[in-house]
Amino acid sequence: MFSVFLARYSLFYNRLKNIEESEGGLDKFTKSYKTFGVNQLADGGIYCKEWAPGAQAVFLAGDFNGWNPSSHPYKKLEYGKWELFIPSEDGCSPVPHGSKLKVVIRAQNGALLYRISPWARYVVRDEDKVNYDWVHWNPPQSYIHKNPSPKRLKSLRIYESHVGIASPEGKVASYKNFTYNVLPRIKDLGYNCVQLMAIMEHAYYASFGYQVTSFFAASSRYGTPDDLKEMIDVAHAMGITVLLDVVHSHASKNSEDGLNQFDGTDSCFFHSGYKGNHQLWDSRLFDYANWEVLRFLLSNLRMWIEDYHFDGFRFDGVTSMLYHHHGIGTGFSGDYNEYFGLHVDEDALCYLMLANHMINTLHPECITIAEDVSGMPALCRPVAEGGGGFDYRLAMAIPDKWIQIIKELKDEDWNMGNIVHTLTNRRCEEKYIAYAESHDQALVGDKTLAFRLMDAEMYTNMSVLMPLTPVIDRGIQLHKMIRLITHALGGESYLNFMGNEFGHPEWLDFPRIGNNESYHYARRQFNLTEDDLLRYKFLNAFDRDMNKLEERFGWLASPQAYVSEKHESNKVIAFERAGLIFIFNFHPYQSYVDYRVGIETPGKYKILLDSDAGEYGGHQRLDHSTEYFSQEYPHNYRPNSIMVYIPSRVALVLHTTDIPK
């Protein structure tokens, strides 16, 4: 296995060395976003550059030249590159801000193809049109960032967000709405990081942003590039780190307003033929061995960091990138043969190593996260070790486990050992992001945890004026317990999808033909938490206080928890982390008086967080003034123990108030 990691590092090193020698260094190579596409020069002129190896000729047309397809030809350079210089006119730009443009490609068969530059910074679509238009973005006064990025976080509490649905109204919400209405909510809830989905421009809204058409353009459906910059700047003023959900695993098949067949061939940017198509996603697959593809993708990452001030990335679809089979029809058991062999796409892995090396070298404060379901070893180890170089990976088995438990088992049959195993089963010295559910579990055809637990009664019995039914009671109590144990035991970071913190009552479904273009399910009903007569406020308050407690004690940045108890018949789990004692009683009806819990540190303990408290919709069975004194009585391989009252379906967090010297 060591030889494999050595070979991977050698491939990475050779590619990096070639970049250093032939391109004048990684810094210059990845700064190509400043020269490719259409760029304004200091003297007012315009410099244009494209890579179109399959083109016979390349032209620039647009409003500026009356859409003449041949008046502004590009000059052919080596290696399929083309360039064009348009001098200024009396110090003014020959291509004014807001002008519509097209790259005109004469294909090998002589046809003229009107294309959007792959490097376009702003594309818009008129309501009466199907395709997007490329608009030259060069405002007289561009937005100037006022606030520095927050320092690299030790405990990452991520609020996964989608700008377009971040409103109770049935419409596409804006960057401005997110800035002034959603960011304060995120801050109040105790999240210190927001992960933005669907920012890279995508022609099809219902793709959730995962069918990217313009990689360098911030989606115009939410506002202008400056609106996004302001949103990130305000987040930074609040101390919130901002991550971009970046999609480099595939691209939309659109050719009129996407990358596909940019130069008239099927091999520009992508593998040719069958290898270049993802059979499930119906999208194109990048050729990560291609020099210009590396330039394009690496420069894309750098542009989002330097122009927009993003603080890092969550890389989507990493499993698809890592293997030639893209994970289709393949299960991963953890056997090492699944991660080493000819089925691994070493070029894609090398690209990810280059990306992480570039980010770590040029912007070491930035964070990278891998969405990998396969469990590729060393994906979150340093590149110098032959690893992938990511900081975190998503613990994707955890939400699947909660779904399986709720869906298939009666409460009496929940297996405590299996729950603990799933939450703690992670690769040594690789950081994981734990989550009970993300956007994946909220999509139509699936159900959120709240909906699985309470289903139709969420529509009729969430009012505090209604009697608390057994279904709603069970759902509210288990929702809090599941999220706390995932938060405290499941990883080194925590993630929640917007709205799920308060048990959002409905799934996500974007406007499409199948639902008559309805926005009813493409929104987040934050107003539900503000209605004092609804029980959603209880879940919202618990989520906030859970995050605030982590901020205070930093268990995510602490070593993995010591689990002292996972009692099957009692349905009790107990563990220690960051000096706190976490106790969970999952039993549906059995409460325990004077239940002995083993602990490491002697002292006097008090309750810090109690899911049974009234403000969280609990039954208030615990007296918070009670003090629990430790005994020198070993229990469950711990030197001391305490006796605690644990009501049914309750989670407790205790902390010592006086530690003896």
Short mmCIF file of all heavy atoms in Angstrom, two decimals, residues 197-222:
data_model
loop_
_atom_site.label_atom_id
_atom_site.label_comp_id
_atom_site.label_asym_id
_atom_site.label_seq_id
_atom_site.Cartn_x
_atom_site.Cartn_y
_atom_site.Cartn_z
N MET A 197 -24.72 26.43 -1.71
CA MET A 197 -24.97 25.56 -2.85
C MET A 197 -25.45 26.40 -4.04
O MET A 197 -25.94 27.51 -3.87
CB MET A 197 -26.07 24.54 -2.52
CG MET A 197 -25.86 23.76 -1.25
SD MET A 197 -27.29 22.76 -0.86
CE MET A 197 -27.35 21.71 -2.32
N ALA A 198 -25.33 25.81 -5.23
CA ALA A 198 -25.95 26.34 -6.45
C ALA A 198 -25.55 27.78 -6.75
O ALA A 198 -26.35 28.57 -7.23
CB ALA A 198 -27.47 26.22 -6.34
N ILE A 199 -24.29 28.13 -6.48
CA ILE A 199 -23.78 29.46 -6.80
C ILE A 199 -23.20 29.49 -8.21
O ILE A 199 -23.43 30.43 -8.97
CB ILE A 199 -22.71 29.90 -5.77
CG1 ILE A 199 -23.35 30.06 -4.38
CG2 ILE A 199 -22.04 31.19 -6.21
CD1 ILE A 199 -24.41 31.12 -4.29
N MET A 200 -22.44 28.47 -8.57
CA MET A 200 -21.91 28.40 -9.93
C MET A 200 -23.09 28.29 -10.90
O MET A 200 -24.00 27.50 -10.69
CB MET A 200 -20.98 27.19 -10.06
CG MET A 200 -19.83 27.22 -9.06
SD MET A 200 -18.94 25.65 -8.95
CE MET A 200 -17.97 25.71 -10.44
N GLU A 201 -23.06 29.10 -11.96
CA GLU A 201 -24.25 29.24 -12.80
C GLU A 201 -24.69 27.92 -13.42
O GLU A 201 -23.88 27.16 -13.97
CB GLU A 201 -24.02 30.27 -13.90
CG GLU A 201 -25.28 30.64 -14.66
CD GLU A 201 -26.35 31.26 -13.76
OE1 GLU A 201 -27.18 30.49 -13.20
OE2 GLU A 201 -26.36 32.49 -13.62
N HIS A 202 -25.98 27.66 -13.33
CA HIS A 202 -26.60 26.45 -13.85
C HIS A 202 -27.89 26.83 -14.54
O HIS A 202 -28.74 27.50 -13.95
CB HIS A 202 -26.85 25.44 -12.73
CG HIS A 202 -27.52 26.03 -11.53
ND1 HIS A 202 -26.90 26.94 -10.69
CD2 HIS A 202 -28.77 25.86 -11.02
CE1 HIS A 202 -27.73 27.30 -9.72
NE2 HIS A 202 -28.88 26.67 -9.90
N ALA A 203 -28.04 26.42 -15.79
CA ALA A 203 -29.20 26.83 -16.57
C ALA A 203 -30.49 26.24 -16.02
O ALA A 203 -31.55 26.87 -16.08
CB ALA A 203 -29.01 26.42 -18.03
N TYR A 204 -30.41 25.02 -15.48
CA TYR A 204 -31.61 24.33 -15.00
C TYR A 204 -31.69 24.47 -13.49
O TYR A 204 -30.93 23.84 -12.76
CB TYR A 204 -31.55 22.87 -15.43
CG TYR A 204 -32.79 22.07 -15.12
CD1 TYR A 204 -34.06 22.59 -15.31
CD2 TYR A 204 -32.69 20.77 -14.62
CE1 TYR A 204 -35.21 21.85 -15.03
CE2 TYR A 204 -33.83 20.01 -14.34
CZ TYR A 204 -35.08 20.57 -14.54
OH TYR A 204 -36.21 19.83 -14.26
N TYR A 205 -32.63 25.28 -13.01
CA TYR A 205 -32.75 25.57 -11.58
C TYR A 205 -32.98 24.30 -10.77
O TYR A 205 -32.46 24.14 -9.66
CB TYR A 205 -33.90 26.57 -11.37
CG TYR A 205 -34.04 27.13 -9.98
CD1 TYR A 205 -32.93 27.57 -9.26
CD2 TYR A 205 -35.29 27.28 -9.39
CE1 TYR A 205 -33.06 28.11 -7.99
CE2 TYR A 205 -35.44 27.82 -8.12
CZ TYR A 205 -34.32 28.23 -7.42
OH TYR A 205 -34.46 28.76 -6.16
N ALA A 206 -33.79 23.39 -11.31
CA ALA A 206 -34.14 22.17 -10.59
C ALA A 206 -32.98 21.19 -10.45
O ALA A 206 -33.11 20.17 -9.77
CB ALA A 206 -35.32 21.48 -11.27
N SER A 207 -31.83 21.49 -11.06
CA SER A 207 -30.67 20.62 -10.89
C SER A 207 -30.00 20.83 -9.53
O SER A 207 -29.02 20.15 -9.21
CB SER A 207 -29.64 20.87 -12.00
OG SER A 207 -28.94 22.09 -11.79
N PHE A 208 -30.52 21.78 -8.74
CA PHE A 208 -29.96 22.09 -7.42
C PHE A 208 -28.54 22.64 -7.54
O PHE A 208 -27.76 22.59 -6.60
CB PHE A 208 -29.97 20.85 -6.53
CG PHE A 208 -30.38 21.09 -5.11
CD1 PHE A 208 -31.16 20.19 -4.42
CD2 PHE A 208 -29.97 22.23 -4.43
CE1 PHE A 208 -31.54 20.40 -3.09
CE2 PHE A 208 -30.33 22.47 -3.11
CZ PHE A 208 -31.12 21.55 -2.44
N GLY A 209 -28.19 23.10 -8.73
CA GLY A 209 -26.86 23.67 -8.95
C GLY A 209 -25.82 22.67 -9.36
O GLY A 209 -24.64 23.02 -9.51
N TYR A 210 -26.20 21.41 -9.58
CA TYR A 210 -25.22 20.37 -9.88
C TYR A 210 -25.07 20.08 -11.37
O TYR A 210 -24.39 19.13 -11.74
CB TYR A 210 -25.58 19.09 -9.11
CG TYR A 210 -25.37 19.28 -7.62
CD1 TYR A 210 -26.41 19.09 -6.72
CD2 TYR A 210 -24.14 19.68 -7.13
CE1 TYR A 210 -26.22 19.29 -5.36
CE2 TYR A 210 -23.94 19.88 -5.78
CZ TYR A 210 -24.98 19.68 -4.90
OH TYR A 210 -24.78 19.89 -3.56
N GLN A 211 -25.70 20.89 -12.23
CA GLN A 211 -25.47 20.80 -13.67
C GLN A 211 -24.93 22.17 -14.10
O GLN A 211 -25.64 22.99 -14.67
CB GLN A 211 -26.76 20.45 -14.41
CG GLN A 211 -27.28 19.05 -14.15
CD GLN A 211 -26.56 18.00 -14.99
OE1 GLN A 211 -25.86 18.31 -15.95
NE2 GLN A 211 -26.72 16.74 -14.62
N VAL A 212 -23.66 22.40 -13.83
CA VAL A 212 -23.06 23.72 -14.03
C VAL A 212 -22.86 24.00 -15.52
O VAL A 212 -22.38 23.15 -16.26
CB VAL A 212 -21.72 23.83 -13.28
CG1 VAL A 212 -21.05 25.18 -13.55
CG2 VAL A 212 -21.94 23.65 -11.78
N THR A 213 -23.23 25.20 -15.93
CA THR A 213 -23.03 25.62 -17.31
C THR A 213 -21.92 26.66 -17.45
O THR A 213 -21.18 26.65 -18.42
CB THR A 213 -24.34 26.19 -17.89
OG1 THR A 213 -24.94 27.08 -16.95
CG2 THR A 213 -25.33 25.07 -18.20
N SER A 214 -21.81 27.58 -16.48
CA SER A 214 -20.75 28.59 -16.51
C SER A 214 -20.01 28.56 -15.17
O SER A 214 -20.53 29.01 -14.14
CB SER A 214 -21.33 29.99 -16.76
OG SER A 214 -21.82 30.09 -18.08
N PHE A 215 -18.79 28.04 -15.19
CA PHE A 215 -18.05 27.76 -13.96
C PHE A 215 -17.51 29.01 -13.27
O PHE A 215 -17.31 29.00 -12.06
CB PHE A 215 -16.91 26.79 -14.26
CG PHE A 215 -17.38 25.37 -14.45
CD1 PHE A 215 -18.03 24.98 -15.62
CD2 PHE A 215 -17.19 24.42 -13.47
CE1 PHE A 215 -18.48 23.68 -15.79
CE2 PHE A 215 -17.64 23.12 -13.63
CZ PHE A 215 -18.29 22.74 -14.79
N PHE A 216 -17.29 30.07 -14.02
CA PHE A 216 -16.71 31.29 -13.45
C PHE A 216 -17.78 32.34 -13.13
O PHE A 216 -17.45 33.42 -12.65
CB PHE A 216 -15.67 31.88 -14.40
CG PHE A 216 -14.38 31.11 -14.42
CD1 PHE A 216 -14.25 29.95 -15.17
CD2 PHE A 216 -13.28 31.53 -13.68
CE1 PHE A 216 -13.06 29.23 -15.19
CE2 PHE A 216 -12.09 30.82 -13.69
CZ PHE A 216 -11.98 29.66 -14.45
N ALA A 217 -19.04 32.02 -13.40
CA ALA A 217 -20.11 32.99 -13.21
C ALA A 217 -20.94 32.66 -11.98
O ALA A 217 -21.40 31.53 -11.81
CB ALA A 217 -21.01 33.02 -14.45
N ALA A 218 -21.13 33.66 -11.11
CA ALA A 218 -22.05 33.51 -9.98
C ALA A 218 -23.47 33.61 -10.52
O ALA A 218 -23.77 34.48 -11.35
CB ALA A 218 -21.79 34.59 -8.95
N SER A 219 -24.34 32.73 -10.07
CA SER A 219 -25.69 32.65 -10.63
C SER A 219 -26.38 34.01 -10.59
O SER A 219 -26.53 34.63 -9.54
CB SER A 219 -26.52 31.63 -9.88
OG SER A 219 -27.80 31.52 -10.45
N SER A 220 -26.84 34.45 -11.75
CA SER A 220 -27.50 35.75 -11.87
C SER A 220 -28.95 35.71 -11.43
O SER A 220 -29.57 36.76 -11.28
CB SER A 220 -27.42 36.23 -13.32
OG SER A 220 -28.08 35.32 -14.19
N ARG A 221 -29.51 34.52 -11.24
CA ARG A 221 -30.92 34.45 -10.84
C ARG A 221 -31.13 35.01 -9.44
O ARG A 221 -32.25 35.37 -9.07
CB ARG A 221 -31.45 33.01 -10.91
CG ARG A 221 -30.64 32.00 -10.13
CD ARG A 221 -31.31 30.64 -10.07
NE ARG A 221 -31.66 30.06 -11.35
CZ ARG A 221 -30.86 29.34 -12.13
NH1 ARG A 221 -29.60 29.14 -11.75
NH2 ARG A 221 -31.26 28.83 -13.26
N TYR A 222 -30.05 35.12 -8.64
CA TYR A 222 -30.15 35.67 -7.29
C TYR A 222 -29.71 37.13 -7.21
O TYR A 222 -29.90 37.77 -6.16
CB TYR A 222 -29.30 34.88 -6.30
CG TYR A 222 -29.34 33.38 -6.46
CD1 TYR A 222 -28.15 32.65 -6.59
CD2 TYR A 222 -30.54 32.69 -6.49
CE1 TYR A 222 -28.17 31.27 -6.73
CE2 TYR A 222 -30.57 31.31 -6.64
CZ TYR A 222 -29.37 30.61 -6.76
OH TYR A 222 -29.39 29.23 -6.91
#
